[in-house]
Amino acid sequence: MTQHKLIAGNWKMNGSLAANEQLVRAIAQGMGDANCTVAMCVPAPYPEQVNRLRSGTKIELGAQDVSRHEQGAYTGEVSAPMLREFGVRYAIVGHSERRQYHGETDEAVADKAKAALAHGITPIVCVGETLAEREAGRTQDVVKRQMAAVIHVNGHCISEIVVAYEPVWAIGTGRTATSEQAQEVHALLRAQLKAATPHPERVHILYGGSMNAANAASLLAQPDVDGGLIGGASLKAPDFLQIIAAASR
Ligand code: PGA
């Protein structure tokens, strides 16, 4: 789809006050009048700092998770209204690392997307198959199942979400899906969204998994790749800036 692309950095559990300041300043300076939306999804303690640093720039602020609950006895959780108070505009939900290490189910992910939307935060919903699932020919079933849960809980609001296709075997491994592999799954997701909303073209479908300065342009050139969710390369200003440049063409 031809639309303004979205490039979201996922810092994961990296950063410090000093390192964040350097990185945000370098990106803000280097991106100029980028012709795409740029977001940085920062660890839970840092939204206030990054919100301050990004002020006056075109950088949007994101979180890496959000609670499915609004408030109450949920020790360790951070709610959507809390994030909103610190200028957070996006929240990653259902990242494979959270599904894998924190037992997040499809239902929990769907509820998190709903909680985000209820408070004006755009959820970046991650879906993707493991290597074993791909090799067993189950890629389509897995991503469809993950997506169906989110559609089921969010109904017509589904056109407000962002989707990120992140094959688990490509995350942090240096092994990227080919542009064709990515496009195939993105087209499948678009078709699934079409059955749920009259405006499937409005939904940004991002690719994530070892996207870098060298492969970004060809991935982003695919008709259904509307941007990227970038881990490792989002921590290096020159690399992230090259991806932003590729998305601005
Ligand atoms: P990566 O991570 O770019 O380091 O592979 C992407 C992600 O996990 O969102």
Coordinates of all heavy atoms in Angstrom, one line a residue, residues 134-202:
R134 N 7.5 -22.5 11.0 CA 7.7 -22.3 9.6 C 8.1 -23.6 8.9 O 7.5 -23.9 7.8 CB 8.8 -21.2 9.3 CG 9.1 -21.0 7.8 CD 9.8 -19.7 7.5 NE 8.9 -18.6 7.5 CZ 8.3 -18.1 6.4 NH1 8.5 -18.6 5.2 NH2 7.5 -17.0 6.5
E135 N 9.0 -24.3 9.5 CA 9.4 -25.5 8.8 C 8.3 -26.6 8.7 O 8.3 -27.4 7.9 CB 10.7 -26.1 9.5 CG 11.9 -25.2 9.2 CD 13.2 -25.6 9.9 OE1 13.1 -26.3 10.9 OE2 14.3 -25.1 9.5
A136 N 7.4 -26.5 9.7 CA 6.3 -27.4 9.6 C 5.1 -26.9 8.7 O 4.1 -27.5 8.7 CB 5.7 -27.6 11.0
G137 N 5.4 -25.8 8.0 CA 4.4 -25.3 7.1 C 3.2 -24.6 7.8 O 2.1 -24.5 7.2
R138 N 3.4 -24.2 9.0 CA 2.3 -23.7 9.8 C 2.3 -22.1 9.9 O 1.5 -21.6 10.7 CB 2.3 -24.3 11.2 CG 2.1 -25.8 11.2 CD 2.0 -26.4 12.6 NE 1.1 -25.6 13.4 CZ 1.4 -25.2 14.7 NH1 2.5 -25.5 15.2 NH2 0.5 -24.5 15.3
T139 N 3.1 -21.4 9.2 CA 3.2 -20.0 9.3 C 1.9 -19.3 9.2 O 1.5 -18.5 10.0 CB 4.2 -19.4 8.2 OG1 5.5 -20.0 8.4 CG2 4.3 -17.9 8.2
Q140 N 1.1 -19.6 8.1 CA -0.1 -18.9 7.9 C -1.1 -19.2 9.0 O -1.8 -18.3 9.5 CB -0.8 -19.4 6.6 CG 0.1 -19.1 5.4 CD -0.7 -19.0 4.1 OE1 -1.9 -19.2 4.1 NE2 0.0 -18.6 3.0
D141 N -1.2 -20.4 9.5 CA -2.1 -20.8 10.6 C -1.8 -20.0 11.8 O -2.7 -19.5 12.5 CB -2.0 -22.3 11.0 CG -2.6 -23.1 9.9 OD1 -3.2 -22.6 9.0 OD2 -2.4 -24.4 10.0
V142 N -0.5 -19.9 12.1 CA -0.1 -19.2 13.4 C -0.4 -17.7 13.3 O -1.0 -17.2 14.3 CB 1.5 -19.5 13.7 CG1 2.0 -18.6 14.8 CG2 1.7 -20.9 13.9
V143 N 0.0 -17.1 12.3 CA -0.2 -15.6 12.3 C -1.7 -15.3 12.2 O -2.2 -14.3 12.8 CB 0.6 -14.8 11.2 CG1 2.1 -15.0 11.4 CG2 0.2 -15.2 9.8
K144 N -2.4 -16.1 11.4 CA -3.9 -15.9 11.4 C -4.5 -16.1 12.7 O -5.4 -15.3 13.1 CB -4.5 -16.9 10.4 CG -4.5 -16.5 9.0 CD -5.4 -17.5 8.2 CE -5.6 -17.2 6.8 NZ -6.1 -18.4 6.1
R145 N -4.1 -17.1 13.5 CA -4.7 -17.3 14.8 C -4.4 -16.1 15.7 O -5.2 -15.6 16.4 CB -4.1 -18.6 15.4 CG -4.7 -19.0 16.7 CD -3.8 -19.9 17.5 NE -2.7 -19.1 18.1 CZ -1.4 -19.5 18.2 NH1 -1.0 -20.6 17.7 NH2 -0.5 -18.7 18.7
Q146 N -3.1 -15.7 15.7 CA -2.7 -14.5 16.6 C -3.5 -13.3 16.2 O -4.0 -12.6 17.1 CB -1.2 -14.3 16.4 CG -0.4 -15.4 17.0 CD 1.1 -15.3 16.6 OE1 1.5 -14.7 15.6 NE2 2.0 -15.8 17.5
M147 N -3.7 -13.1 14.9 CA -4.4 -11.9 14.4 C -5.9 -12.0 14.7 O -6.6 -11.0 15.1 CB -4.2 -11.8 12.9 CG -4.5 -10.5 12.3 SD -3.5 -9.2 12.9 CE -4.8 -8.0 13.1
A148 N -6.5 -13.2 14.6 CA -7.9 -13.4 14.8 C -8.3 -13.0 16.2 O -9.4 -12.4 16.4 CB -8.3 -14.8 14.5
A149 N -7.5 -13.3 17.2 CA -7.8 -13.0 18.6 C -7.9 -11.5 18.8 O -8.8 -11.0 19.4 CB -6.7 -13.6 19.5
V150 N -7.0 -10.8 18.1 CA -7.0 -9.3 18.2 C -8.3 -8.7 17.5 O -8.9 -7.8 18.0 CB -5.7 -8.7 17.7 CG1 -5.7 -7.2 17.8 CG2 -4.5 -9.3 18.4
I151 N -8.6 -9.3 16.4 CA -9.8 -8.8 15.6 C -11.0 -9.1 16.4 O -11.9 -8.2 16.6 CB -9.8 -9.5 14.2 CG1 -8.7 -9.0 13.4 CG2 -11.2 -9.2 13.6 CD1 -8.5 -9.7 12.0
H152 N -11.1 -10.3 17.0 CA -12.3 -10.7 17.8 C -12.6 -9.7 18.9 O -13.7 -9.3 19.1 CB -12.0 -12.1 18.3 CG -13.1 -12.6 19.1 ND1 -14.4 -12.9 18.6 CD2 -13.2 -12.9 20.5 CE1 -15.2 -13.3 19.6 NE2 -14.5 -13.3 20.7
V153 N -11.5 -9.4 19.7 CA -11.7 -8.5 20.8 C -11.9 -7.0 20.5 O -12.6 -6.3 21.2 CB -10.5 -8.7 21.8 CG1 -10.5 -7.7 22.9 CG2 -10.6 -10.1 22.4
N154 N -11.3 -6.6 19.4 CA -11.3 -5.2 19.0 C -12.3 -4.7 18.0 O -12.5 -3.5 17.8 CB -9.9 -4.7 18.7 CG -9.0 -4.7 19.9 OD1 -9.0 -3.8 20.6 ND2 -8.3 -5.8 20.1
G155 N -13.0 -5.7 17.4 CA -14.1 -5.3 16.4 C -13.7 -4.3 15.4 O -12.6 -4.3 14.8
H156 N -14.6 -3.3 15.2 CA -14.4 -2.3 14.2 C -13.2 -1.4 14.5 O -12.7 -0.7 13.6 CB -15.7 -1.5 13.9 CG -16.1 -0.7 15.0 ND1 -16.9 -1.1 16.0 CD2 -15.8 0.6 15.3 CE1 -17.0 -0.1 16.9 NE2 -16.4 0.9 16.5
C157 N -12.8 -1.4 15.7 CA -11.6 -0.5 16.1 C -10.3 -1.1 15.4 O -9.2 -0.4 15.6 CB -11.4 -0.5 17.6 SG -12.7 0.4 18.4
I158 N -10.4 -2.2 14.8 CA -9.2 -2.9 14.3 C -8.5 -2.0 13.3 O -7.3 -2.1 13.1 CB -9.6 -4.3 13.7 CG1 -8.3 -5.2 13.7 CG2 -10.2 -4.2 12.3 CD1 -7.9 -5.6 15.1
S159 N -9.2 -1.1 12.6 CA -8.5 -0.2 11.6 C -7.6 0.8 12.3 O -6.8 1.5 11.6 CB -9.5 0.5 10.7 OG -10.3 1.3 11.5
E160 N -7.7 0.9 13.6 CA -6.9 1.9 14.4 C -5.5 1.3 14.8 O -4.7 2.0 15.4 CB -7.6 2.3 15.6 CG -9.0 2.8 15.4 CD -9.1 4.1 14.6 OE1 -8.3 5.0 14.9 OE2 -9.9 4.1 13.7
I161 N -5.4 0.0 14.7 CA -4.1 -0.6 15.2 C -3.0 -0.6 14.2 O -3.2 -0.3 13.0 CB -4.3 -2.1 15.7 CG1 -4.5 -3.1 14.5 CG2 -5.5 -2.2 16.6 CD1 -4.3 -4.5 14.9
V162 N -1.8 -0.9 14.6 CA -0.7 -1.2 13.7 C -0.3 -2.6 14.0 O -0.4 -3.1 15.1 CB 0.6 -0.3 14.1 CG1 1.8 -0.7 13.4 CG2 0.3 1.2 13.8
V163 N 0.0 -3.3 12.9 CA 0.4 -4.7 13.0 C 1.9 -4.8 12.7 O 2.4 -4.1 11.8 CB -0.4 -5.6 12.0 CG1 0.0 -7.1 12.1 CG2 -1.9 -5.5 12.2
A164 N 2.6 -5.7 13.4 CA 4.0 -5.9 13.0 C 4.2 -7.4 12.8 O 3.9 -8.2 13.7 CB 5.0 -5.5 14.1
Y165 N 4.6 -7.8 11.6 CA 4.9 -9.2 11.3 C 6.4 -9.4 11.7 O 7.3 -8.8 11.0 CB 4.6 -9.5 9.9 CG 5.2 -10.9 9.5 CD1 4.9 -12.0 10.3 CD2 6.1 -11.1 8.4 CE1 5.5 -13.3 10.0 CE2 6.7 -12.3 8.1 CZ 6.3 -13.4 8.9 OH 6.9 -14.6 8.6
E166 N 6.6 -10.2 12.7 CA 8.0 -10.4 13.1 C 8.2 -11.9 13.2 O 7.9 -12.6 14.3 CB 8.2 -9.8 14.5 CG 8.1 -8.3 14.5 CD 9.0 -7.7 15.6 OE1 8.9 -8.1 16.8 OE2 9.7 -6.7 15.3
P167 N 8.8 -12.5 12.2 CA 9.1 -14.0 12.3 C 10.1 -14.2 13.4 O 11.1 -13.5 13.4 CB 9.7 -14.3 10.9 CG 9.9 -13.0 10.2 CD 9.2 -11.9 10.9
V168 N 9.8 -15.0 14.4 CA 10.6 -15.2 15.6 C 12.1 -15.5 15.2 O 13.0 -15.1 15.8 CB 10.0 -16.2 16.5 CG1 10.8 -16.4 17.8 CG2 8.6 -15.8 16.9
W169 N 12.2 -16.3 14.1 CA 13.5 -16.8 13.7 C 14.4 -15.7 13.1 O 15.6 -15.9 12.9 CB 13.4 -18.0 12.7 CG 12.4 -17.7 11.6 CD1 11.1 -18.0 11.6 CD2 12.7 -17.1 10.3 NE1 10.5 -17.6 10.5 CE2 11.4 -17.0 9.6 CE3 13.8 -16.6 9.7 CZ2 11.3 -16.5 8.4 CZ3 13.7 -16.0 8.5 CH2 12.5 -16.0 7.8
A170 N 13.8 -14.5 12.9 CA 14.5 -13.4 12.3 C 14.9 -12.4 13.3 O 15.7 -11.5 13.0 CB 13.7 -12.8 11.2
I171 N 14.4 -12.5 14.5 CA 14.6 -11.5 15.5 C 15.9 -11.6 16.2 O 16.2 -12.6 16.8 CB 13.5 -11.5 16.6 CG1 12.1 -11.1 15.9 CG2 13.8 -10.5 17.7 CD1 10.9 -11.2 16.9
G172 N 16.7 -10.6 16.0 CA 18.0 -10.5 16.7 C 19.0 -11.6 16.2 O 20.1 -11.8 16.8
T173 N 18.7 -12.2 15.1 CA 19.5 -13.3 14.6 C 20.4 -12.9 13.4 O 21.3 -13.7 13.0 CB 18.6 -14.5 14.1 OG1 17.8 -14.0 13.1 CG2 17.8 -15.1 15.2
G174 N 20.1 -11.8 12.8 CA 20.8 -11.4 11.6 C 20.2 -12.1 10.4 O 20.6 -11.9 9.2
R175 N 19.3 -13.0 10.6 CA 18.6 -13.7 9.5 C 17.3 -13.0 9.2 O 16.4 -13.1 10.0 CB 18.4 -15.1 10.0 CG 18.1 -16.1 8.9 CD 18.0 -17.5 9.4 NE 17.1 -18.2 8.5 CZ 16.6 -19.4 8.7 NH1 16.8 -20.0 9.8 NH2 15.8 -19.9 7.8
T176 N 17.2 -12.3 8.1 CA 16.0 -11.6 7.7 C 15.1 -12.4 6.8 O 15.6 -13.2 6.0 CB 16.4 -10.3 7.0 OG1 17.6 -9.8 7.5 CG2 15.3 -9.3 7.0
A177 N 13.8 -12.2 6.9 CA 12.9 -12.8 5.9 C 13.3 -12.1 4.6 O 13.6 -11.0 4.6 CB 11.5 -12.5 6.3
T178 N 13.1 -12.9 3.5 CA 13.3 -12.2 2.2 C 12.1 -11.3 2.0 O 11.1 -11.4 2.6 CB 13.3 -13.3 1.1 OG1 12.1 -13.9 1.0 CG2 14.4 -14.3 1.3
S179 N 12.3 -10.4 1.1 CA 11.2 -9.5 0.8 C 10.0 -10.2 0.3 O 8.9 -9.9 0.7 CB 11.6 -8.5 -0.3 OG 12.8 -7.8 0.1
E180 N 10.2 -11.3 -0.4 CA 9.0 -12.1 -0.9 C 8.3 -12.8 0.3 O 7.1 -12.9 0.4 CB 9.5 -13.2 -1.9 CG 10.0 -12.6 -3.2 CD 11.4 -11.9 -3.1 OE1 12.2 -12.3 -2.2 OE2 11.7 -11.0 -3.8
Q181 N 9.2 -13.4 1.2 CA 8.5 -14.0 2.4 C 7.7 -13.0 3.2 O 6.6 -13.3 3.7 CB 9.6 -14.6 3.3 CG 10.2 -15.9 2.8 CD 11.4 -16.4 3.6 OE1 12.2 -15.6 4.1 NE2 11.6 -17.7 3.7
A182 N 8.3 -11.8 3.4 CA 7.6 -10.8 4.2 C 6.3 -10.4 3.4 O 5.2 -10.4 4.0 CB 8.5 -9.6 4.4
Q183 N 6.4 -10.1 2.2 CA 5.2 -9.7 1.4 C 4.1 -10.7 1.4 O 2.9 -10.4 1.6 CB 5.6 -9.3 -0.1 CG 4.5 -9.1 -1.0 CD 3.5 -8.0 -0.6 OE1 3.9 -7.1 0.1 NE2 2.2 -8.1 -1.0
E184 N 4.5 -12.0 1.4 CA 3.5 -13.1 1.3 C 2.6 -13.0 2.6 O 1.4 -13.1 2.6 CB 4.2 -14.4 1.2 CG 3.3 -15.5 0.9 CD 4.1 -16.9 0.9 OE1 5.3 -16.9 1.0 OE2 3.4 -17.9 0.8
V185 N 3.3 -12.9 3.8 CA 2.6 -12.9 5.0 C 1.8 -11.5 5.2 O 0.7 -11.5 5.7 CB 3.5 -13.1 6.2 CG1 2.8 -13.0 7.5 CG2 4.2 -14.5 6.1
H186 N 2.4 -10.4 4.8 CA 1.8 -9.2 4.9 C 0.5 -9.2 4.1 O -0.6 -8.6 4.5 CB 2.7 -8.0 4.4 CG 3.7 -7.6 5.4 ND1 3.9 -6.3 5.8 CD2 4.6 -8.4 6.2 CE1 4.9 -6.3 6.7 NE2 5.3 -7.5 7.0
A187 N 0.5 -9.7 2.9 CA -0.7 -9.8 2.0 C -1.8 -10.6 2.7 O -3.0 -10.3 2.7 CB -0.3 -10.4 0.7
L188 N -1.3 -11.7 3.3 CA -2.3 -12.6 4.1 C -2.9 -11.8 5.2 O -4.2 -11.9 5.4 CB -1.5 -13.7 4.6 CG -2.2 -14.7 5.5 CD1 -2.7 -15.8 4.6 CD2 -1.3 -15.4 6.5
L189 N -2.1 -11.0 5.9 CA -2.7 -10.2 7.0 C -3.6 -9.2 6.5 O -4.7 -8.9 7.1 CB -1.5 -9.6 7.8 CG -0.7 -10.6 8.7 CD1 0.6 -9.9 9.1 CD2 -1.5 -11.0 9.9
R190 N -3.3 -8.6 5.4 CA -4.1 -7.5 4.8 C -5.5 -8.1 4.4 O -6.5 -7.5 4.7 CB -3.5 -6.9 3.6 CG -4.2 -5.8 3.0 CD -3.9 -4.4 3.5 NE -2.5 -4.1 3.3 CZ -1.8 -3.2 4.0 NH1 -2.4 -2.5 5.0 NH2 -0.5 -3.0 3.8
A191 N -5.4 -9.3 3.9 CA -6.7 -10.0 3.5 C -7.5 -10.3 4.7 O -8.8 -10.2 4.7 CB -6.4 -11.2 2.7
Q192 N -6.9 -10.7 5.7 CA -7.6 -11.0 7.0 C -8.3 -9.7 7.6 O -9.4 -9.8 8.0 CB -6.7 -11.6 8.0 CG -7.4 -12.3 9.2 CD -6.4 -13.0 10.1 OE1 -5.2 -13.0 9.9 NE2 -6.9 -13.6 11.2
L193 N -7.5 -8.6 7.5 CA -8.1 -7.4 8.0 C -9.3 -6.9 7.1 O -10.2 -6.3 7.6 CB -7.0 -6.3 8.0 CG -5.9 -6.4 9.1 CD1 -4.7 -5.6 8.7 CD2 -6.5 -6.0 10.4
K194 N -9.2 -7.2 5.8 CA -10.2 -6.8 4.9 C -11.6 -7.4 5.3 O -12.6 -6.8 5.1 CB -9.8 -7.3 3.5 CG -10.5 -6.6 2.4 CD -9.9 -7.0 1.1 CE -10.5 -6.2 -0.1 NZ -9.8 -6.5 -1.3
A195 N -11.5 -8.6 5.8 CA -12.8 -9.2 6.2 C -13.3 -8.6 7.5 O -14.5 -8.8 7.9 CB -12.5 -10.7 6.5
A196 N -12.5 -7.8 8.2 CA -12.9 -7.2 9.5 C -13.2 -5.7 9.4 O -13.8 -5.2 10.3 CB -11.8 -7.5 10.5
T197 N -12.6 -5.0 8.4 CA -12.8 -3.6 8.4 C -12.9 -3.1 6.9 O -12.3 -3.7 6.0 CB -11.6 -2.8 9.0 OG1 -11.7 -1.4 8.6 CG2 -10.3 -3.4 8.6
P198 N -13.7 -2.1 6.7 CA -13.8 -1.6 5.3 C -12.5 -0.9 4.9 O -12.4 -0.5 3.7 CB -15.0 -0.6 5.3 CG -15.3 -0.4 6.7 CD -14.7 -1.5 7.5
H199 N -11.6 -0.6 5.8 CA -10.4 0.2 5.5 C -9.1 -0.6 5.8 O -8.3 0.0 6.6 CB -10.5 1.5 6.2 CG -11.7 2.3 5.8 ND1 -11.8 2.8 4.6 CD2 -12.7 2.7 6.5 CE1 -13.0 3.5 4.5 NE2 -13.6 3.4 5.7
P200 N -8.9 -1.7 5.3 CA -7.7 -2.5 5.6 C -6.5 -1.7 5.1 O -5.4 -1.9 5.7 CB -7.9 -3.8 4.8 CG -8.8 -3.5 3.7 CD -9.7 -2.4 4.2
E201 N -6.6 -0.9 4.1 CA -5.4 -0.1 3.6 C -4.9 0.9 4.6 O -3.8 1.3 4.5 CB -5.8 0.5 2.3 CG -6.6 1.8 2.3 CD -8.1 1.5 2.6 OE1 -8.5 0.4 2.6 OE2 -8.8 2.5 2.9
R202 N -5.7 1.2 5.6 CA -5.3 2.2 6.6 C -4.4 1.6 7.6 O -3.7 2.4 8.4 CB -6.5 2.8 7.3 CG -7.3 3.8 6.5 CD -8.3 4.5 7.4 NE -9.3 5.1 6.6 CZ -10.5 5.5 7.1 NH1 -10.9 5.2 8.3 NH2 -11.4 6.0 6.3

